CSV table of all heavy atoms in Angstrom, one decimal:
chain,number,residue,atom,x,y,z
I,16,SER,N,0.8,-1.3,0.0
I,16,SER,CA,0.0,0.0,0.0
I,16,SER,C,0.8,1.2,0.0
I,16,SER,O,0.6,2.2,-0.7
I,16,SER,CB,-0.9,0.0,1.2
I,16,SER,OG,-1.8,1.2,1.3
I,17,ALA,N,1.9,1.3,0.8
I,17,ALA,CA,2.7,2.4,0.8
I,17,ALA,C,3.6,2.7,-0.4
I,17,ALA,O,3.7,3.8,-0.9
I,17,ALA,CB,3.7,2.3,2.0
I,18,VAL,N,4.2,1.6,-1.0
I,18,VAL,CA,4.8,1.8,-2.2
I,18,VAL,C,3.9,2.2,-3.4
I,18,VAL,O,4.2,3.1,-4.1
I,18,VAL,CB,5.6,0.4,-2.7
I,18,VAL,CG1,6.4,0.6,-3.8
I,18,VAL,CG2,6.6,0.3,-1.5
I,19,PHE,N,2.7,1.7,-3.4
I,19,PHE,CA,1.8,2.1,-4.4
I,19,PHE,C,1.4,3.5,-4.4
I,19,PHE,O,1.3,4.2,-5.3
I,19,PHE,CB,0.5,1.1,-4.3
I,19,PHE,CG,-0.5,1.5,-5.3
I,19,PHE,CD1,-0.3,1.1,-6.6
I,19,PHE,CD2,-1.6,2.2,-5.0
I,19,PHE,CE1,-1.4,1.4,-7.6
I,19,PHE,CE2,-2.7,2.5,-6.0
I,19,PHE,CZ,-2.5,2.2,-7.4
I,20,ALA,N,1.3,3.9,-3.0
I,20,ALA,CA,0.9,5.4,-2.8
I,20,ALA,C,2.2,6.1,-3.3
I,20,ALA,O,2.0,7.3,-3.9
I,20,ALA,CB,0.7,5.6,-1.3
I,21,ALA,N,3.4,5.7,-3.0
I,21,ALA,CA,4.5,6.4,-3.6
I,21,ALA,C,4.6,6.5,-5.1
I,21,ALA,O,4.9,7.5,-5.8
I,21,ALA,CB,5.8,5.7,-3.1
I,22,THR,N,4.2,5.4,-5.8
I,22,THR,CA,4.2,5.4,-7.1
I,22,THR,C,3.1,6.4,-7.8
I,22,THR,O,3.5,7.1,-8.7
I,22,THR,CB,3.9,4.0,-7.8
I,22,THR,OG1,2.6,3.5,-7.4
I,22,THR,CG2,4.9,3.0,-7.4
I,23,GLU,N,2.0,6.5,-7.0
I,23,GLU,CA,1.1,7.5,-7.4
I,23,GLU,C,1.6,8.9,-7.3
I,23,GLU,O,1.4,9.9,-8.1
I,23,GLU,CB,-0.4,7.3,-6.6
I,23,GLU,CG,-1.1,6.1,-7.1
I,23,GLU,CD,-2.4,5.9,-6.4
I,23,GLU,OE1,-2.5,6.3,-5.3
I,23,GLU,OE2,-3.4,5.6,-7.0
I,24,ALA,N,2.2,9.2,-6.2
I,24,ALA,CA,2.7,10.5,-5.9
I,24,ALA,C,3.8,10.9,-6.9
I,24,ALA,O,3.8,12.0,-7.3
I,24,ALA,CB,3.2,10.7,-4.4
I,25,LEU,N,4.7,9.8,-7.2
I,25,LEU,CA,5.9,10.2,-8.2
I,25,LEU,C,5.3,10.4,-9.5
I,25,LEU,O,5.7,11.2,-10.2
I,25,LEU,CB,6.8,9.0,-8.2
I,25,LEU,CG,8.0,9.1,-9.0
I,25,LEU,CD1,8.7,10.4,-8.6
I,25,LEU,CD2,8.9,7.9,-8.9
I,26,SER,N,4.2,9.8,-9.9
I,26,SER,CA,3.6,10.0,-11.1
I,26,SER,C,3.0,11.4,-11.3
I,26,SER,O,3.1,11.9,-12.3
I,26,SER,CB,2.4,8.9,-11.4
I,26,SER,OG,1.8,9.1,-12.5
I,27,GLU,N,2.5,11.7,-10.2
I,27,GLU,CA,1.9,13.1,-10.2
I,27,GLU,C,3.0,14.2,-10.2
I,27,GLU,O,2.8,15.3,-10.7
I,27,GLU,CB,1.0,13.4,-9.0
I,27,GLU,CG,-0.3,12.7,-9.1
I,27,GLU,CD,-1.1,12.7,-7.7
I,27,GLU,OE1,-0.7,13.7,-6.9
I,27,GLU,OE2,-2.0,12.0,-7.6
I,28,ALA,N,4.3,13.8,-10.0
I,28,ALA,CA,5.4,14.7,-10.0
I,28,ALA,C,6.2,14.5,-11.3
I,28,ALA,O,7.5,14.9,-11.3
I,28,ALA,CB,6.3,14.4,-8.8
I,29,ALA,N,5.6,14.0,-12.2
I,29,ALA,CA,6.3,13.8,-13.5
I,29,ALA,C,6.9,15.2,-14.2
I,29,ALA,O,6.1,16.2,-13.8
I,29,ALA,CB,5.4,13.2,-14.6
I,30,PRO,N,8.0,15.2,-14.8
I,30,PRO,CA,8.5,16.5,-15.3
I,30,PRO,C,7.5,17.2,-16.4
I,30,PRO,O,6.8,16.3,-17.1
I,30,PRO,CB,9.8,16.1,-16.0
I,30,PRO,CG,9.9,14.6,-16.0
I,30,PRO,CD,8.7,14.1,-15.1
I,31,ASN,N,7.6,18.4,-16.5
I,31,ASN,CA,6.9,19.1,-17.4
I,31,ASN,C,7.7,19.9,-18.4
I,31,ASN,O,8.7,20.5,-17.8
I,31,ASN,CB,5.9,20.1,-16.6
I,31,ASN,CG,4.9,20.8,-17.6
I,31,ASN,OD1,5.3,21.3,-18.6
I,31,ASN,ND2,3.6,20.9,-17.1
I,32,ALA,N,7.5,19.8,-19.6
I,32,ALA,CA,8.5,20.4,-20.4
I,32,ALA,C,8.8,21.8,-20.3
I,32,ALA,O,9.9,22.4,-20.5
I,32,ALA,CB,8.0,20.2,-22.0
I,33,ARG,N,7.8,22.6,-19.9
I,33,ARG,CA,8.0,24.0,-19.6
I,33,ARG,C,8.9,24.4,-18.5
I,33,ARG,O,9.4,25.5,-18.4
I,33,ARG,CB,6.6,24.8,-19.4
I,33,ARG,CG,5.9,24.5,-18.2
I,33,ARG,CD,4.7,25.3,-18.0
I,33,ARG,NE,3.9,24.8,-16.9
I,33,ARG,CZ,2.9,24.0,-16.8
I,33,ARG,NH1,2.4,23.7,-17.9
I,33,ARG,NH2,2.3,23.8,-15.9
I,34,ASP,N,9.2,23.4,-17.7
I,34,ASP,CA,10.2,23.6,-16.5
I,34,ASP,C,11.7,23.3,-17.1
I,34,ASP,O,12.5,23.5,-16.3
I,34,ASP,CB,9.8,22.7,-15.4
I,34,ASP,CG,8.5,23.0,-14.9
I,34,ASP,OD1,8.0,24.2,-14.9
I,34,ASP,OD2,7.8,22.1,-14.4
I,35,TYR,N,11.8,22.8,-18.2
I,35,TYR,CA,13.1,22.5,-18.7
I,35,TYR,C,13.6,23.2,-20.1
I,35,TYR,O,14.8,23.1,-20.2
I,35,TYR,CB,13.0,20.9,-18.9
I,35,TYR,CG,13.1,20.1,-17.6
I,35,TYR,CD1,11.8,19.8,-17.1
I,35,TYR,CD2,14.2,19.9,-16.9
I,35,TYR,CE1,11.6,19.1,-15.9
I,35,TYR,CE2,13.9,19.2,-15.5
I,35,TYR,CZ,12.7,18.9,-15.0
I,35,TYR,OH,12.6,18.3,-14.0
I,36,TYR,N,12.7,23.7,-20.6
I,36,TYR,CA,13.1,24.2,-22.1
I,36,TYR,C,14.2,25.3,-22.0
I,36,TYR,O,15.1,25.4,-22.9
I,36,TYR,CB,11.9,24.7,-22.9
I,36,TYR,CG,11.3,26.1,-22.5
I,36,TYR,CD1,11.9,27.1,-23.0
I,36,TYR,CD2,10.2,26.0,-21.8
I,36,TYR,CE1,11.4,28.3,-22.7
I,36,TYR,CE2,9.7,27.2,-21.4
I,36,TYR,CZ,10.3,28.4,-21.8
I,36,TYR,OH,9.7,29.6,-21.4
I,37,PRO,N,14.3,25.9,-20.9
I,37,PRO,CA,15.5,27.0,-20.9
I,37,PRO,C,16.8,26.3,-20.8
I,37,PRO,O,17.9,26.9,-21.0
I,37,PRO,CB,15.2,27.7,-19.7
I,37,PRO,CG,13.8,27.8,-19.4
I,37,PRO,CD,13.4,26.3,-19.8
I,38,GLN,N,16.8,25.1,-20.3
I,38,GLN,CA,18.1,24.3,-20.1
I,38,GLN,C,18.7,23.7,-21.4
I,38,GLN,O,19.6,23.2,-21.6
I,38,GLN,CB,18.0,23.3,-19.2
I,38,GLN,CG,17.6,23.8,-17.8
I,38,GLN,CD,17.4,22.8,-16.8
I,38,GLN,OE1,17.9,21.6,-16.8
I,38,GLN,NE2,16.5,22.9,-15.9
I,39,GLY,N,17.8,23.8,-22.5
I,39,GLY,CA,18.4,23.3,-23.8
I,39,GLY,C,17.4,22.1,-24.4
I,39,GLY,O,16.5,21.6,-23.6
I,40,ASP,N,17.7,21.7,-25.6
I,40,ASP,CA,16.8,20.8,-26.2
I,40,ASP,C,16.8,19.4,-25.5
I,40,ASP,O,15.7,18.8,-25.7
I,40,ASP,CB,17.3,20.6,-27.7
I,40,ASP,CG,17.2,21.9,-28.5
I,40,ASP,OD1,16.2,22.8,-28.0
I,40,ASP,OD2,17.9,22.0,-29.6
I,41,ASP,N,17.8,19.0,-24.9
I,41,ASP,CA,17.7,17.6,-24.5
I,41,ASP,C,17.4,17.6,-23.0
I,41,ASP,O,17.2,16.4,-22.4
I,41,ASP,CB,19.1,17.0,-24.5
I,41,ASP,CG,19.5,16.7,-26.1
I,41,ASP,OD1,18.7,16.6,-26.8
I,41,ASP,OD2,20.8,16.9,-26.3
I,42,ALA,N,17.3,18.7,-22.3
I,42,ALA,CA,17.0,18.7,-20.8
I,42,ALA,C,15.6,17.9,-20.5
I,42,ALA,O,15.7,17.1,-19.5
I,42,ALA,CB,16.9,20.0,-20.4
I,43,PHE,N,14.6,18.2,-21.2
I,43,PHE,CA,13.4,17.5,-20.8
I,43,PHE,C,13.4,16.0,-21.0
I,43,PHE,O,13.0,15.3,-20.1
I,43,PHE,CB,12.1,18.1,-21.6
I,43,PHE,CG,10.8,17.5,-21.4
I,43,PHE,CD1,10.3,17.5,-20.1
I,43,PHE,CD2,10.2,16.8,-22.4
I,43,PHE,CE1,9.0,16.8,-19.9
I,43,PHE,CE2,8.9,16.3,-22.2
I,43,PHE,CZ,8.4,16.3,-20.9
């Protein structure tokens, strides 16, 4: 149950391209 909750939380924390584009083409 705890690890499943962690997978859900991590899934919600997936990277978003707009947070990385200033770092260059490969950052995202």
Side-chain angles (χ1 to χ4, degrees):
S16 180
V18 175
F19 182 76
T22 62
E23 288 183 324
L25 184 58
S26 180
E27 292 175 12
N31 186 311
R33 70 176 171 255
D34 299 325
Y35 294 90
Y36 75 85
Q38 299 176 32
D40 294 339
D41 296 331
F43 177 60

